[in-house]
Amino acid sequence: MPPDGSSALYSLCLVVVPAYVGYYLFCAVKKPSVNCNPKFSKFLERHCPILSEKFWPTIWCVESRLQTILRVILQTRPPVSYEREMLDFSDGGQVALDWVSNDLNSVYGQTKPVVIIMPGLTGTSQEGYTLHLVAESVKLGYRAVVFNYRGNGGAELKTSRTYCATFTDDLSCVISHVLSRYPQSPVMAVGVSFGGIVLTNYLAKVGPESGLVAGMTCSSPWNVFESSKTLEEPINLVCFNRLLCNKLKQAVVRYEHLFRDMCDLKAVRNCVTIRDFDTNFTTKVFGYKSVDEYYRDACIHGKVQSIQIPLLCLNAIDDPFSPGKFIPVEEARRSPNVAIVVTCRGGHIGFIDGCLIPNSVGYMQRIFCQFSQAIYNFSDELLACED
């Protein structure tokens, strides 16, 4: 007699569930690989114990796109009260800096550290990951300031100069401004996705004169050409690429009177992908002859050896924005200043962990907490390691 439906389903579960649990435990739950020189590695082992522990992606959210999409839906939004400051530039442009001064916290006194947070491509101070980084900074006794790029975060775009992965002048001005406002405070910058590309390009350009004591990047694509290719794969095109491109186009259309003489606005409106947008807009605004020339300049995988301050980079090998095989782990192992942490799972800015129920404070934020404390409290030890 054939089994009824419920018996068949029960039998199927007896096979599928143990098989999936086995797959999860043996293939998805792994320690991250920490790629850096031995001295930096010892420093991280002492002060960032999370890097020696297994990363437990939430069992029902292992796949990279799920990690990426569900982070936006599931991540809590801690209450953060910002104080906005408009920073004007010599070319007539401006950016909005959203501060949490944390003056009531007296842990560090006059030398209270400052963390500059740089969001993703279309991100602002209101992104979930940004709010969490700010909230954790405040708990640790730091000041936090979110650098909203030109025209973002509700700030008016006043000139035809916007922002791109290679334009680091605004970041340089923001750092100088923070240092002038708090001259006794050590300053660290955290760049997420696109923000990490800008930060890395800045550090590679200025060498030891960055004004920062350290940096951290999260889910930043290393090879922009390969990132562009993977984002144009059918599923990624629908889930991510078109949405980001539409946001970029909306910003241009809002201020199209500034760009009429610089680019073909009809072509910009017809863009479908980020590469289309960079071809028809970014290259025109920033004076590149082609999108390939811009992408060659933007790529950071070949700039590891130019970094002159401690830089911790967190990437997932399954990131749909940044193919894992192009993460420059060998270069990091030869670098005196760069550590690249690679998890087996995590997607793009996902890193949803907690075996059954996601942790309220994400993996990315917990690494930030431990690394920033190590930098602010034990920097002399790291300098001794370099010697």
Side-chain angles (χ1 to χ4, degrees), residues 306-350:
S306 299
I307 307 300
Q308 299 296 312
I309 65 168
L311 178 67
L312 181 69
C313 308
L314 174 63
N315 290 90
I317 204 166
D318 66 348
D319 187 338
F321 284 56
S322 181
K325 64 182 179 180
F326 295 101
I327 301 172
V329 293
E330 291 300 328
E331 288 80 356
R333 290 169 188 158
R334 296 192 297 269
S335 167
N337 299 300
V338 177
I340 301 179
V341 176
V342 183
T343 59
C344 181
R345 306 285 175 170
H348 187 71
I349 328 176

Side-chain angles (χ1 to χ4, degrees), residues 191-197 217-222 300 314-315 319 322 348:
V192 180
S193 188
F194 168 86
I197 300 179
T217 67
C218 307
S219 294
S220 296
W222 290 90
I300 56 176
L314 174 63
N315 290 90
D319 187 338
S322 181
H348 187 71

Side-chain angles (χ1 to χ4, degrees), residues 71-127:
R71 189 270 308 165
V72 179
I73 299 170
L74 298 176
Q75 190 172 49
T76 58
R77 299 175 62 83
V80 173
S81 296
Y82 291 115
E83 176 186 343
R84 172 151 290 192
E85 177 186 16
M86 301 306 300
L87 180 63
D88 295 320
F89 300 125
S90 59
D91 67 350
Q94 66 175 9
V95 295
L97 301 180
D98 287 334
W99 285 90
V100 178
S101 297
N102 202 17
D103 292 327
L104 296 179
N105 191 310
S106 59
V107 173
Y108 288 95
Q110 294 297 316
T111 60
K112 188 188 300 293
V114 180
V115 178
I116 299 172
I117 298 169
M118 304 171 61
L121 182 61
T122 60
T124 69
S125 59
Q126 297 301 321
E127 306 301 325

Side-chain angles (χ1 to χ4, degrees), residues 40-60:
F40 201 171
S41 179
K42 289 179 181 178
F43 176 80
L44 293 174
E45 286 175 10
R46 280 192 293 270
H47 302 295
C48 300
I50 190 173
L51 299 180
S52 301
E53 302 166 0
K54 290 183 177 180
F55 173 64
W56 291 75
T58 302
I59 193 167
W60 43 266

Side-chain angles (χ1 to χ4, degrees), residues 200-214:
T200 305
N201 274 317
Y202 169 75
L203 294 176
K205 183 182 298 183
V206 301
E209 306 302 322
S210 66
L212 303 174
V213 296

